[in-house]
Amino acid sequence: MSQQPWSREEFEQKLRDKGQYYHIHHPFHQAMNKGECTKEQIQGWVANRFFYQMCIPIKDAAILANCPDMETRRKWIQRILDHDGEEGDPRLGGIEAWLRLGEAVGLDRQDILDEKLLLPGVKFAVGAYVNFARRATWEEAACSSLTEMFAPEIHQSRLDTWPEHYPWINQEGFSYFQMRLSQARRDVEHGLAITLDHFNTRELQEKALNILQFKLDVLWSLADAITLAFEFNRKPFHGLADQQICHKGLM
Ligand SMILES: O=C(O)c1cc(C(=O)O)c2c(n1)C(=O)C(=O)c1cc(C(=O)O)[nH]c1-2
């Protein structure tokens, strides 16, 4: 016989407990927030995280494409506008704000766009997330966005520690982290409501926890790839090529 579903409150708590595996606990993120990273390491993270940034609206468009519910689409579409920015709106979209963070840490905007520092491991991790959103149901894909429950804390910790640890970073670069504090909280409210409503048997609730773990794995793998390249100096094709090599497109 199948087990009783957890109550809404118990289920939400189990989702929130997954925060113990959030990338805020990854050694690379911990080092960044303790001021232990070099300029090259910060640049490596910013340039690679940009790929995640670029793919978020593509992932959200995939969710919209799979969602027959107009009310949900009306709310979900805001996520795309948050990242792409709206025409005529002086507020920055997330992608532009991230490019400015890139400039603030001393990177060239065109180099970021040309993926000069992008690692294959990061592409694979982010690609897995986008492809999951394409293939899964829209409720499952919405559930996978719930790592955002834990994101305001990591953005806030950067705002709290980076200006002191990395005085060479131009302060204007931090506006992305500031922006996301409120945007992530609003997104979570919506994503969580969808998840708590849809995953309403014990089997489905366990599936939701597994989906959230998948997304935690994506973020952890991304940080692992960056660690190998920028902390242990083992970029792909180390010893075989002078410059960084990575395929383009093909996702
Ligand atoms: O900097 C971070 O550590 C971090 C993590 C995450 C996340 O938890 O997936 C997101 C973001 N930032 C972020 O800025 C963002 O816009 C975002 C959207 C999503 C998503 O899954 O839809 N995650 C995240």
Side-chain angles (χ1 to χ4, degrees), residues 199-210:
F199 297 86
N200 58 5
T201 65
R202 176 61 90 72
E203 206 182 352
L204 286 172
Q205 289 169 333
E206 281 171 1
K207 185 172 192 184
L209 291 174
N210 191 37

Side-chain angles (χ1 to χ4, degrees), residues 75 155 211 229:
K75 281 193 187 164
H155 292 312
I211 289 171

Side-chain angles (χ1 to χ4, degrees), residues 22-24 29 45 49 52-53 56 59-60 63 76 79 82-83 94 98 129 141-142 144-152 154-155 158 176-177 180 183-184 187 215-216 219:
Y22 195 50
H23 63 181
I24 197 170
H29 283 275
W45 176 73
R49 222 325 275 279
Y52 187 63
Q53 216 58 47
I56 291 285
K59 179 274 294 183
D60 285 317
I63 295 177
W76 205 274
R79 297 178 186 231
D82 286 343
H83 286 283
W98 198 275
Y129 185 33
S144 70
S145 75
L146 285 183
T147 46
E148 277 209 278
M149 286 189 295
F150 320 120
I154 202 168
H155 292 312
R158 293 166 190 147
Y176 180 82
F177 304 136
R180 283 309 298 171
Q183 290 174 351
D187 289 354
K215 174 66 174 305
L216 291 161
L219 295 176

